[in-house]
Amino acid sequence: MSEWQPIETAPEGELVDTKIDDADGVRNQGPLRRRRALWFITDDLGDDVMYVYYRPTHWRPLP
């Protein structure tokens, strides 16, 4: 799998693997899609269904 990239370089509108990795450790890893400043969970059809109340710190392409 590819290396984690800083979240500022994440593509707009593409489903990617994300995580928070900071002084408190790694958490909240999972697929999200960025729409401007918000990050969304998607359903089985790929539609945005709900935004998350946090900002990931890293991303990588999904396998």
Side-chain angles (χ1 to χ4, degrees):
M1 197 162 278
S2 62
E3 295 291 319
W4 290 100
Q5 304 295 317
I7 203 63
E8 295 80 16
T9 64
E12 170 93 18
E14 185 177 328
L15 191 63
V16 295
D17 194 17
T18 64
K19 70 176 179 176
I20 296 175
D21 187 354
D22 59 15
D24 294 324
V26 176
R27 59 198 184 281
N28 294 32
Q29 184 172 343
L32 297 175
R33 177 180 291 128
R34 182 172 71 89
R35 299 281 183 207
R36 297 188 183 165
L38 296 178
W39 287 89
F40 287 84
I41 296 171
T42 60
D43 63 13
D44 293 338
L45 300 175
D47 296 325
D48 298 339
V49 293
M50 182 175 69
Y51 68 90
V52 297
Y53 288 91
Y54 63 89
R55 183 175 181 263
T57 59
H58 296 83
W59 76 279
R60 66 181 175 189
L62 286 171

